[in-house]
Amino acid sequence: MIAPPTASNVKEPPVLEVLDLVKHYPIKDGLFAPDRVVHALDGVTLTVGRGETLAVVGESGCGKSTLARCIMRLEILTSGTLLLHGKDISHVGGRDLRAMRRRLQIIFQNPYASLNPRWSIGSLVMDPMRLHKIGDAAGRRARAVELLQTVGLGAEFMSRYPHELSGGQRQRVAIARALAMQPDVIICDEPVSALDVSIQAQVINLLKKLQKSLGIAYVFISHDLSLVKHISDRVAVMYLGQIVELADTSAVRQRVMHPYSQALFSAAPVADPRAAASKRRIILSGDVPSPVDPPAGCRFHTRCPYAKDICASEAPQLRAVEDRFVRCHFAGEPGFPPPAPLSEGKYT
Ligand code: SF4
């Protein structure tokens, strides 16, 4: 296993470490069929520093949300280790698990589904404090009002119900609930993708403001690459359950080194119309292979325009190449990956 990739400019120990994480889901095709597994995550290693935003990007089904659920211990890990402030939380239960969940919170994609419609906003925000036996009833109420004000909602929202709120207001309530535990890390699982574009910026700005004042680290899962480039400190690109490239966002803005990252980021919209006109959009041919039977060797070789014989037989490791970590046999070779042709090879 390689050393955990850490931000290049961070000196203090990471808040969260994910080491060689594996999550397989067993499936049964029939009574006499051999057991098979879905390879949702295979050897994911990363770190998150205090006050850092680590973005995790990739196509649907690449394992981003499974990673979020595993970090939150909402899934049983097949193998691997999770460290929070250096303490192993991979298998803790009972009181230790509750204590861990105070430090580690999650905001889900859909604010319409993540809040119980029968509860008032006040009850929803006070509930985590009640579950963790924090303060008395009056103290929790005062804290809930304070949290609602922190996220830009007033005390008058305490008596309202989720159906009376807009999508953006509901996501603010979800953020207030997460903040109630004073977490060190918040897993943001596509937190704005269900919101109108006009509301997205408000919620993102709120998250950034809270990070600055409270030093919270975010693991920001998203498929919005423009947004990721705007808000993250580092980016991890995932393909079929593995990280294929991990780098500082400033380095990613300059260039990407993995052929899959190249295709993925070519799809990101750019604001400058002249840059947009000259931009080459790479559309990979073929579907993402099944995670039940991932390709041998490099998992990307069935779609990679630069694949050679070795790619089908030898699995590349995630290794340090210049200013980043890349999982490709040829990363770091001069001129690799070459600029994509407009219509050639495995590009369409
Ligand atoms: Fe492509 Fe081979 Fe690199 Fe995999 S190892 S990304 S198939 S060139």
Side-chain angles (χ1 to χ4, degrees):
M1 187 181 70
I2 62 162
T6 309
S8 55
N9 57 348
V10 173
K11 301 285 176 282
E12 51 186 299
V15 180
L16 175 70
E17 292 169 80
V18 177
L19 305 174
D20 215 6
L21 182 61
V22 174
K23 178 61 192 175
H24 291 170
Y25 295 96
I27 50 171
K28 208 65 177 127
D29 292 327
L31 194 55
F32 302 107
D35 288 347
R36 300 195 300 160
V37 295
V38 176
H39 296 249
L41 297 173
D42 264 329
V44 172
T45 293
L46 52 84
T47 62
V48 190
R50 185 176 183 279
E52 184 192 19
T53 300
L54 173 72
V56 181
V57 299
E59 286 165 294
S60 297
C62 70
K64 306 186 295 281
S65 290
T66 305
L67 175 62
R69 293 180 60 79
C70 284
I71 293 174
M72 287 305 299
R73 290 285 320 281
L74 299 172
E75 301 279 354
I76 296 170
L77 313 184
T78 304
S79 65
T81 307
L82 298 173
L83 302 177
L84 188 63
H85 291 296
K87 184 180 174 215
D88 191 342
I89 56 164
S90 322
H91 305 287
V92 292
R95 186 184 301 178
D96 287 343
L97 183 62
R98 281 196 297 280
M100 173 217 112
R101 291 219 167 112
R102 283 186 64 166
R103 310 254 60 91
L104 207 51
Q105 290 284 305
I106 187 165
I107 302 169
F108 290 104
Q109 176 179 12
N110 190 346
Y112 297 87
S114 62
L115 302 176
N116 188 332
R118 295 199 199 112
W119 287 21
S120 70
I121 300 305
S123 302
L124 285 164
V125 178
M126 288 187 284
D127 186 49
M129 293 183 268
R130 185 183 58 78
L131 281 174
H132 287 272
K133 299 185 172 57
I134 298 173
D136 57 17
R140 290 196 284 267
R141 189 166 184 79
R143 175 80 176 133
V145 170
E146 188 186 312
L147 287 164
L148 287 175
Q149 285 166 343
T150 303
V151 299
L153 302 173
E156 68 275 17
F157 280 80
M158 288 288 283
S159 56
R160 294 192 189 167
Y161 284 81
H163 73 269
E164 299 175 70
L165 273 55
S166 69
Q169 287 171 331
R170 287 183 212 197
Q171 202 58 304
R172 284 170 188 264
V173 173
I175 295 169
R177 265 172 69 88
L179 290 177
M181 294 293 95
Q182 297 180 303
D184 301 317
V185 183
I186 299 181
I187 313 293
C188 304
D189 189 1
E190 307 259 15
V192 295
S193 60
L195 305 178
D196 291 343
V197 174
S198 56
I199 307 297
Q200 287 184 3
Q202 289 176 21
V203 173
I204 291 297
N205 289 340
L206 172 64
L207 287 170
K208 291 302 285 179
K209 194 172 125 200
L210 293 170
Q211 182 176 55
K212 207 169 170 193
S213 59
L214 303 174
I216 305 168
Y218 296 135
V219 177
F220 197 93
I221 291 168
S222 180
H223 62 263
D224 185 336
L225 300 170
S226 307
L227 178 63
V228 158
K229 281 186 179 175
H230 173 64
I231 66 151
S232 64
D233 299 298
R234 285 186 302 147
V235 180
V237 180
M238 286 190 72
Y239 183 77
L240 215 54
Q242 297 180 323
I243 291 177
V244 296
E245 184 160 358
L246 199 158
D248 289 356
T249 309
S250 54
V252 168
R253 281 197 204 104
Q254 299 300 316
R255 65 168 178 155
V256 288
M257 278 197 186
H258 194 283
Y260 174 66
S261 312
Q262 188 188 33
L264 191 70
F265 281 93
S266 79
V270 287
D272 180 355
R274 269 179 303 180
S278 61
K279 195 166 188 268
R280 292 165 179 230
R281 170 87 194 267
I282 302 168
I283 301 171
L284 292 169
S285 64
D287 294 327
V288 182
S290 166
V292 177
D293 191 17
C298 174
R299 291 189 174 183
F300 188 53
H301 85 262
T302 53
R303 304 169 80 197
C304 179
Y306 315 117
K308 298 187 179 159
D309 289 349
I310 186 179
C311 303
S313 56
E314 265 185 45
Q317 300 300 308
L318 190 67
R319 61 191 171 90
V321 183
E322 299 175 19
D323 56 357
R324 65 193 71 202
F325 291 82
V326 190
R327 190 186 293 274
C328 172
H329 292 305
F330 308 108
E333 290 187 0
F336 186 90
L342 279 175
S343 174
E344 202 175 293
K346 292 190 181 180
Y347 294 117
T348 56

